[in-house]
Amino acid sequence: MPRIQIKRGLKANLPTSSMLSGEQFYTTDRSTLHVATDATTRQPVVPPIDDLATMPAVDGAADLVLMHDASEASGVKEKKITFDAFKAALNIPAGTTDEKVAVVSGGTAGYIWGTDGTDGVLRMGPTMSWVKAAGNGYVTLDVGVIDCGSF
């Protein structure tokens, strides 16, 4: 019985010339497939983002986020992480869907400006004001006095 074998090797060694149109290349370190379109051009085979189904909701403990691990020295660089673990890595509390941040790694996360003066990461001084533009999500911060202290 005849067989078809696909050329394989490391991503760094993918050819850039002398390819045949339709020739396929499988990367053993990244698990990706590439197809030559002419002698010097190849395209990766990926699903079109627009054709993917939309998730109706996120299950933080079960749903996964795909990430590229740049620190991986060998093997497949793409890794998976649960959505909850991703939020924990960003120091976003597990029970919240709001945009909370921490000023320092491992610090307590809170709203940037807070909602009632007790849960914000930043506090405004008396010479500051901020306004959210009505037409978009941008906030303008105005500072009246910058006190550089004394010597």
Side-chain angles (χ1 to χ4, degrees):
M1 176 180 268
R3 288 194 241 181
I4 297 175
Q5 287 188 300
I6 298 173
K7 290 187 177 184
R8 59 213 172 278
L10 301 177
K11 183 176 186 293
N13 298 337
L14 280 169
T16 56
S17 63
S18 303
M19 295 182 286
L20 299 173
S21 183
E23 193 173 14
Q24 300 174 33
F25 306 94
Y26 175 76
T27 59
T28 55
D29 59 335
R30 300 287 300 279
S31 296
T32 58
L33 182 69
H34 303 259
V35 178
T37 56
D38 59 42
T40 59
T41 309
R42 59 182 152 65
Q43 295 292 325
V45 177
V46 296
I49 299 295
D50 293 345
D51 291 351
L52 297 175
T54 302
M55 293 175 61
V58 174
D59 179 343
D63 290 336
L64 302 171
V65 176
L66 179 68
M67 299 185 80
H68 177 81
D69 182 0
S71 68
E72 179 68 51
S74 62
V76 177
K77 291 182 179 280
E78 282 62 42
K79 301 288 189 320
K80 62 185 178 184
I81 184 172
T82 66
F83 190 76
D84 282 352
F86 181 65
K87 285 176 65 176
L90 297 175
N91 200 31
I92 300 171
T96 185
T97 57
D98 294 316
E99 295 80 8
K100 291 186 175 185
V101 296
V103 175
V104 295
S105 179
T108 302
Y111 297 99
I112 296 282
W113 294 107
T115 55
D116 62 8
T118 63
D119 59 357
V121 174
L122 301 176
R123 234 183 324 181
M124 291 196 311
T127 62
M128 299 173 72
S129 66
W130 61 304
V131 177
K132 181 183 176 296
N136 57 43
Y138 297 106
V139 173
T140 301
L141 177 65
D142 291 318
V143 179
V145 175
I146 299 175
D147 184 354
C148 294
S150 59
F151 58 95

